[in-house]
Amino acid sequence: MAEEVANSSLVVPQSMLFAIVINGILGFAMLIAFLFTAGDLSAIVKSQATYPFMQILENSTRSKGAAVVLSSMMAVMSVFCGLGGISSGSRMLWAFARERAIPGWQWIHKLDQRTAVPFHSTAIIIIAAGLIGLINIGSSEVLNIVLSLTMEAFFFSYIIPLSLLLYRRLKGDIKEPGQGSKKGLTWGPFRLKGFIGILNNIFALVFASVAALFGFWPSQNHPHLSKMNWSSAIFGGTLILAVIYYLGWGRKHYMGPVMEVQVPPQVPEPRSNVPDIYRD
């Protein structure tokens, strides 16, 4: 969603850092409060509460009503987190469709003429999220595999750009603004310079690699087939299908990152703020 932010090359990384710092401090404070008020951990695990944190809230407040209210607040916050995920996921899907990187891009990349919102991609994300949520009705183990697969996809999406950035850093291919050619790589306004930046890239790459590795492991030692984490097989199969799809169709139609420049309209004014290629 950085495309919708003014001066995104500077504002987005600053916002990410501020979010990490603020949420880290608040999360650590909440963790300390939970640990001091949790009580007997074995009793919490054996309690009748649907989730252990509900029993912790009841122990700390000594009131079932207060525990219900606080648990409801967490449910509301989860809803808002889900809305944020839907917004970012729909924009990401729309961006891939705009670049002709996925099947059905002709329909998915259309924007609503009145609101200029990618309605089709948003609907796809909502339906997909709802269907994934239904998996828990049949098997919680399968849902855990899907969630594990999602985490692995996130980490590998970080590993690839981190590796490329570190490679370019070590080769010195990224120039300062104004020093390189128009076709070369130049640094943006927000970065860590020199050796500190290289160390930061190495640390991030190692952390993401270790996290991705352990994410494929099962939740217990010597698991039964029904408890096995099959996300590694699914992830590998998805990669194979993605390579086949790219070699067979994607490389012929994929346009690469599309750069859009908004030109001030001439008289007469356009009737819609949605480009013709994105209209239904």
Side-chain angles (χ1 to χ4, degrees):
M1 299 181 68
E3 294 180 351
E4 304 177 19
V5 179
N7 194 19
S8 59
S9 59
L10 182 62
V11 174
V12 170
Q14 287 179 342
S15 301
M16 293 172 64
L17 285 180
F18 282 130
I20 292 173
V21 173
I22 295 174
N23 286 281
I25 294 174
L26 295 177
F28 182 75
M30 184 177 68
L31 177 62
I32 295 298
F34 257 63
L35 292 177
F36 271 99
T37 59
D40 187 3
L41 295 181
S42 60
I44 293 173
V45 174
K46 297 178 182 179
S47 67
Q48 299 298 321
T50 306
Y51 298 101
F53 76 86
M54 295 180 177
Q55 185 63 46
I56 295 176
L57 292 175
E58 183 179 352
N59 294 344
S60 59
T61 60
R62 298 181 181 180
S63 170
K64 288 187 177 181
V68 170
V69 172
L70 293 175
S71 299
S72 301
M73 292 175 61
M74 292 186 180
V76 172
M77 289 188 290
S78 299
V79 171
F80 284 109
C81 289
L83 292 176
I86 290 174
S87 299
S88 60
S90 62
R91 265 58 174 187
M92 188 180 303
L93 180 63
W94 175 81
F96 273 105
R98 177 189 58 183
E99 298 167 4
R100 305 181 181 182
I102 56 177
W105 62 268
Q106 299 92 334
W107 181 79
I108 298 175
H109 85 299
K110 298 293 184 180
L111 298 179
D112 182 79
Q113 296 188 29
R114 183 176 62 87
T115 61
V117 170
F119 176 79
H120 295 166
S121 62
T122 303
I124 292 175
I125 294 298
I126 293 175
I127 294 174
L131 294 177
I132 292 175
L134 294 177
I135 295 177
N136 195 41
I137 299 177
S139 173
S140 59
E141 296 295 334
V142 176
L143 180 63
N144 290 333
I145 292 175
V146 174
L147 297 179
S148 176
L149 183 64
T150 304
M151 184 187 69
E152 302 307 324
F154 270 119
F155 279 117
F156 274 93
S157 70
Y158 304 148
I159 290 173
I160 294 174
L162 285 171
S163 302
L164 296 176
L165 178 59
L166 180 60
Y167 172 75
R168 292 296 185 181
R169 273 183 181 272
L170 296 177
K171 288 193 63 178
D173 292 341
I174 310 178
K175 306 299 182 181
E176 294 291 334
Q179 294 182 358
S181 62
K182 293 183 179 180
K183 295 183 179 180
L185 298 174
T186 57
W187 287 110
F190 190 92
R191 71 184 190 277
L192 288 176
K193 298 182 180 180
F195 185 68
I196 298 179
I198 295 176
L199 286 180
N200 180 67
N201 282 155
I202 294 175
F203 173 79
L205 184 59
V206 172
F207 177 85
S209 301
V210 172
L213 174 63
F214 282 97
F216 287 125
W217 289 21
S219 58
Q220 54 184 310
N221 193 19
H222 303 295
H224 188 267
L225 289 178
S226 60
K227 301 292 183 179
M228 182 63 184
N229 186 355
W230 297 103
S231 60
S232 57
I234 300 175
F235 187 81
T238 303
L239 286 181
I240 294 174
L241 293 177
V243 171
I244 295 175
Y245 169 76
Y246 176 77
L247 295 178
W249 188 89
R251 64 189 181 93
K252 301 176 183 178
H253 299 85
Y254 177 58
M255 299 174 56
V258 176
M259 298 182 63
E260 295 179 342
V261 179
Q262 185 175 4
V263 180
Q266 303 295 327
V267 179
E269 293 287 340
R271 292 178 297 175
S272 173
N273 59 347
V274 178
D276 292 338
I277 60 173
Y278 299 144
R279 293 182 182 177
D280 289 323

